[in-house]
Amino acid sequence: MMESRQAQRKNEHLSLASKYYQQAHRDHPFDQVRLIHTALPEKAVKDVDLTATLAPGLKLATPFYIEAMTGGSDQAKAVNRQLARLAAKHGVAMATGSASVALKDPACRDSFQVVREEDPDGLVIANLSAKATLDEAQAAIELLGANAIELHLNAAQELVMPEGDRSFYWLANIEHLVKHLDVPVIVKEVGFGMNKDDVTRLHKAGVQTINVSGRGGTNFAMIENRRNRRADFNDMAGWGQTTPETLLEARAAGSGATFIASGGITSPLDVIKAGALGASACGVAGYFLNVLTQDGIDKLDQTLGEWRVAITRLLTLLGVSSYADLGTVDYVLGPDLLSYVHQRDL
């Protein structure tokens, strides 16, 4: 059966994300964060609780989860099936890619439903644009039996996308969805970060959980630029705030919201550093997808197990009992990040 134009676009996204993976991770923003070692942790591995908070009322078994990647094509279905199997095995939460394609084309629904088939008892997160209607959001939640929904903010991606939106009035709709949906609403950037005013406005609109998703991981502007035959946006390769920068922006807002970090999380140490900067959990997409596509499901299976072990031991090494306690850990910032903090008065 011939796939729809939207399904073909999903396949292009997967292919280009893999193609540009090394380029996207050429610089690593988390290298600008150094944790201060303590020689007297006074802690044992058995004392460490690995659970973390995703959103009010939703606990994660690990402080990292499989962040939104794909859905909407046969290729995407195969990827989601593999990811969901591993999510179920390791007790790791999983988000899907945007379900808008499934709401428009019923033939695409099974590429999302496969997640719940493979992980019937796990924590699953639906994903839609922040412009989604209440009916669309409820349909996406029902499609996946989702425990939460991410509403993504992707203005930079849309403006580079040849067929993308050109108008972005989201805040009132987000407030409406938060008020009327029965599951937690997470508002998520797609890899360009946020500033402290964004965080303040979202929290005033009722958003309790914000995924700041900074620059450093998959760059959707460059992916869409590769698809764009009408204009060249290569100069946007460095657009946006890095994940450490946007975590510091979020903390400076002082809103009281819960923050998730994603964008360039490539190791257990990155997860720990994000926690020290205020993240309550971390979403990982590009790194896990790259392991899966380059080395296979067995290697990703091994990787997920190794991350659990490493994060537990790093928490022990830092002398803290839980991921939430990382806020007490001392750190120093590299010159670029420190300059950003001073110039932004964070």
Side-chain angles (χ1 to χ4, degrees):
M1 179 178 177
M2 184 175 292
E3 291 190 319
S4 69
R5 188 171 181 178
Q6 284 184 309
Q8 291 171 7
R9 182 162 64 88
K10 298 299 182 182
N11 289 339
E12 286 182 322
H13 282 174
L14 282 170
S15 175
L16 291 169
S18 178
K19 177 184 172 92
Y20 290 126
Y21 178 80
Q22 295 300 331
Q23 179 180 327
H25 292 81
R26 190 172 298 157
D27 298 317
H28 193 51
F30 279 98
D31 289 344
Q32 288 284 312
V33 182
R34 289 180 55 201
L35 302 174
I36 302 303
H37 171 69
T38 175
L40 295 168
E42 297 298 303
K43 194 69 59 181
V45 169
K46 66 178 178 61
D47 299 327
V48 172
D49 177 8
L50 207 57
T51 61
T53 300
L54 177 71
L58 284 182
K59 283 286 187 181
L60 299 175
T62 65
F64 65 91
Y65 67 95
I66 299 171
E67 185 54 279
M69 294 191 207
T70 193
S73 70
D74 290 341
Q75 182 183 356
K77 179 180 178 179
V79 170
N80 277 344
R81 183 183 298 280
Q82 291 177 308
L83 292 173
R85 283 178 178 171
L86 294 182
K89 177 178 179 180
H90 292 275
V92 175
M94 177 178 170
T96 71
S98 175
S100 61
V101 62
L103 302 184
K104 295 173 184 175
D105 183 358
C108 296
R109 290 177 184 169
D110 63 347
S111 67
F112 293 88
Q113 291 169 324
V114 67
V115 173
R116 194 45 99 185
E117 291 170 10
E118 296 292 340
D119 192 7
D121 302 315
L123 199 158
V124 175
I125 306 163
N127 179 357
L128 277 179
S129 166
K131 71 177 183 180
T133 67
L134 180 59
D135 286 345
E136 288 170 338
Q138 289 171 331
I141 293 165
E142 183 178 346
L143 178 71
L144 286 157
N147 307 95
I149 185 168
E150 285 184 327
L151 302 176
H152 62 257
L153 309 176
N154 65 337
Q157 178 189 8
E158 292 284 348
L159 288 168
V160 176
M161 190 188 307
E163 70 275 42
D165 290 340
R166 300 295 183 260
S167 179
F168 311 100
Y169 297 100
W170 288 329
L171 202 55
N173 190 57
I174 289 170
E175 185 171 9
H176 178 69
L177 293 176
V178 169
K179 286 180 179 178
H180 292 94
L181 289 173
D182 294 330
V183 300
V185 173
I186 302 165
V187 175
K188 174 187 184 296
E189 238 289 348
V190 299
F192 302 97
M194 297 185 185
N195 63 54
K196 56 188 177 182
D197 293 331
D198 295 330
V199 170
T200 298
R201 289 191 293 168
L202 286 170
H203 193 246
K204 285 182 178 177
V207 180
Q208 298 298 313
T209 304
I210 301 170
N211 185 337
V212 297
S213 193
R215 175 168 57 84
T218 303
N219 189 323
F220 279 101
M222 292 299 94
I223 287 175
E224 297 298 350
N225 188 55
R226 180 64 177 79
R227 297 179 59 250
N228 195 332
R229 303 293 187 271
R230 305 171 192 168
D232 183 2
F233 288 90
N234 267 316
D235 54 353
M236 287 185 64
W239 186 266
Q241 291 83 256
T242 67
T243 300
E245 287 168 353
T246 202
L247 279 170
L248 292 167
E249 291 269 357
R251 191 172 65 181
S255 67
T258 296
F259 301 110
I260 299 170
S262 62
I265 306 290
T266 62
S267 71
L269 184 56
D270 291 345
V271 175
I272 295 294
K273 289 180 177 180
L277 295 181
S280 67
C282 292
V284 186
Y287 180 80
F288 287 161
L289 179 62
N290 188 65
V291 172
L292 179 64
T293 56
Q294 297 300 314
D295 302 313
I297 190 170
D298 289 342
K299 179 61 176 178
L300 183 54
D301 184 9
Q302 177 185 338
T303 298
L304 291 171
E306 289 174 347
W307 277 44
R308 290 185 66 116
V309 171
I311 290 170
T312 303
R313 294 184 185 180
L314 286 168
L315 291 172
T316 306
L317 182 61
L318 290 167
V320 297
S321 299
S322 69
Y323 192 74
D325 291 340
L326 281 171
T328 65
V329 170
D330 291 329
Y331 59 83
V332 295
L333 304 179
D336 291 344
L337 190 51
L338 186 60
S339 174
Y340 181 92
V341 168
H342 287 160
Q343 291 184 61
R344 289 287 294 155
D345 193 24
L346 300 180

